């Protein structure tokens, strides 16, 4: 899973990384990013032949409730994610939480 956020990978690196991961034997590489930038990421990936069924999508959308992001979450997301990080670490809890579809980790 490529982490696309400030301090990590940039959107421009997504197609190259997907090709490298796939060429290295990863059947379904994935992208993790904030919901607010996922639509542009998927558009860039699609322009390079990476359509939704070929890759995993993991959004960060801190609503405080377990959910899987889809079009109703906004920001132009036209598909459903396979996983969504819905809350982050806070005092006394040093971990983030994500909710995933049953098949998200399948190859």
């Amino acid at each position: 899973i490529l982490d696309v956020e400030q301090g990590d990978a940039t959107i421009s690196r997504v197609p190259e990384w997907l090709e490298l991961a796939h060429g290295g034997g990863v059947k379904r590489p994935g992208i993790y990013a904030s919901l607010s930038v996922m639509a542009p990421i998927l558009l860039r990936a699609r322009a390079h032949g990476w359509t939704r069924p070929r890759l995993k999508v993991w959004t960060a959308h801190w609503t405080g409730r377990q959910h899987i992001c889809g079009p109703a979450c906004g920001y132009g997301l036209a598909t459903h994610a396979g996983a969504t990080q819905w809350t982050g670490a806070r005092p006394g809890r040093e971990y983030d939480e994500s909710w995933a579809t049953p098949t998200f980790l399948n190859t």
Side-chain angles (χ1 to χ4, degrees), residues 39-70:
I41 289 170
L42 294 177
L43 284 173
R44 185 169 188 92
R46 185 178 313 137
H48 292 269
W50 285 92
T51 57
R52 179 62 180 88
R54 291 185 65 200
L55 60 112
K56 296 177 185 180
V57 174
W58 184 358
T59 56
H61 189 206
W62 291 14
T63 61
R65 65 174 179 79
Q66 289 181 345
H67 71 287
I68 300 292
C69 282

Side-chain angles (χ1 to χ4, degrees), residues 27-102:
K27 292 180 183 177
R28 273 184 61 225
I31 303 297
Y32 167 84
S34 172
L35 172 64
S36 65
V37 296
M38 188 56 79
I41 289 170
L42 294 177
L43 284 173
R44 185 169 188 92
R46 185 178 313 137
H48 292 269
W50 285 92
T51 57
R52 179 62 180 88
R54 291 185 65 200
L55 60 112
K56 296 177 185 180
V57 174
W58 184 358
T59 56
H61 189 206
W62 291 14
T63 61
R65 65 174 179 79
Q66 289 181 345
H67 71 287
I68 300 292
C69 282
C73 289
Y75 293 97
L77 187 66
T79 187
H80 283 86
T84 297
Q85 180 186 7
W86 58 276
T87 189
R90 25 182 205 251
R93 279 186 44 213
E94 300 304 320
Y95 55 90
D96 298 328
E97 291 183 58
S98 293
W99 190 255
T101 62

